[in-house]
Amino acid sequence: QPGIVGEFAAVHASASLVVIGMLPFSPAICRPVQEAAACTDGADARAFAALRRAAPTIATGIDGMLQDVILYLMGGAAAGLLAGLFGVGGGTILVPVLLVLFRHSGMPEQLWMHMAIGTSLAIIVLNAISSTRAHARRGGVRWEIVWRLLPGIIIGTWTGAFVADRLSSGVLALIFACFLVLVGLQMLAARQPKPQRQVPGNVGLLGAGGVIGGVSALVGIGGGSLTVPFLTWCNVAMPQAVATSAAAGLPIALAGAIGFVATGLQMSP
């Protein structure tokens, strides 16, 4: 879907612009320039020599950063395209793409999954805002369900982020792989649960929100693959289930991103 592709590409383009904007502040670029600037008048030869010696370093630094910008742009576009083609949430595609990019960037291996999941949730925040606004304009969001899911979502998402912080990158990768297998089986079956009951009360939605939020935080998704089946099982019409799931995805992604930032500040490579 072009809209999904555009949203993901725009997110990565925004991040890339930040990286480009930081180029002048790179130590590889600043240090030789400062060295040259420190030369007094009449020492032009020394200044020129300092910049000449630093030229390869500057070129290498710029080349590496621009290469990362291009890779992240391509990764964002690929994630959006695959999500649209296969009808799955962005997180199920973003996390593997981010793993490849982080590995290329030389990030410590023990941080790959934590960084991929947290970054995926942060990106989904922007996508969820756009989706929620679009569905809300069409009047499809069941806001009374969203508000009743919200406390459980926040508790579950923060709990999931806390648990993820205690797990190794390998264990998180295994959990993510198992989740992908379940999503794949559901897609192959092409079945949604049949409506069996009505929307539960506050306690039931609190528990459902906690489970949805916890699992979403562990695998870096917006929760759509969990929320939509649950709502259809509760006899909510499919268009409203999709719209309500999109709205519920915003607090999942936002709380999850905040949780991973908070726990990530305590992690060391």
Side-chain angles (χ1 to χ4, degrees):
Q1 298 176 6
I4 298 178
V5 178
E7 288 168 2
F8 279 98
V11 170
H12 286 277
S14 300
S16 301
L17 288 176
V18 173
V19 175
I20 294 173
M22 292 172 62
L23 283 174
F25 303 99
S26 170
I29 298 172
C30 283
R31 192 174 297 113
V33 174
Q34 291 171 348
E35 182 181 345
C39 297
T40 59
D41 293 338
D44 293 340
R46 288 171 51 200
F48 178 77
L51 286 174
R52 185 175 180 179
R53 289 195 304 271
T57 303
I58 296 175
T60 301
I62 293 177
D63 181 66
M65 296 186 75
L66 288 179
Q67 186 179 45
D68 285 343
V69 168
I70 294 172
L71 287 174
Y72 277 94
L73 284 170
M74 293 174 60
L81 179 62
L82 292 173
L85 287 176
F86 294 106
V88 296
T92 55
I93 303 295
L94 270 173
V95 171
V97 169
L98 288 169
L99 280 175
V100 173
L101 294 174
F102 291 158
R103 180 177 181 178
H104 176 270
S105 67
M107 184 178 295
E109 185 175 353
Q110 63 268 30
L111 299 181
W112 287 353
M113 277 302 297
H114 299 86
M115 291 292 293
I117 293 172
T119 304
S120 173
L121 290 168
I123 294 172
I124 291 173
V125 170
L126 301 180
N127 189 33
I129 291 174
S130 175
S131 298
T132 301
R133 291 180 60 186
H135 285 296
R137 282 197 297 266
R138 292 192 290 268
V141 180
R142 294 279 298 272
W143 289 109
E144 76 279 6
I145 296 178
V146 175
W147 297 128
R148 290 156 66 191
L149 283 170
L150 185 60
I153 283 175
I154 294 176
I155 294 172
T157 304
W158 281 348
T159 301
F162 176 82
V163 171
D165 181 51
R166 298 306 190 267
L167 299 177
S168 68
S169 187
V171 172
L172 285 176
L174 180 61
I175 293 173
F176 183 79
C178 292
F179 178 78
L180 283 187
V181 170
L182 294 176
V183 171
L185 291 175
Q186 183 186 34
M187 292 175 63
L188 287 175
R191 295 176 58 185
Q192 291 289 344
K194 295 181 180 179
Q196 300 288 335
R197 52 164 300 161
Q198 298 300 311
V199 177
N202 292 336
V203 175
L205 287 179
L206 177 69
V211 173
I212 292 171
V215 174
S216 299
L218 281 174
V219 295
I221 64 172
S225 55
L226 302 173
T227 308
V228 172
F230 169 72
L231 292 178
T232 55
W233 180 63
C234 293
N235 211 27
V236 176
M238 179 58 74
Q240 291 183 333
V242 172
T244 304
S245 171
L250 178 57
I252 290 174
L254 185 59
I258 293 173
F260 272 86
V261 168
T263 56
L265 291 174
Q266 305 172 15
M267 296 178 64
S268 58

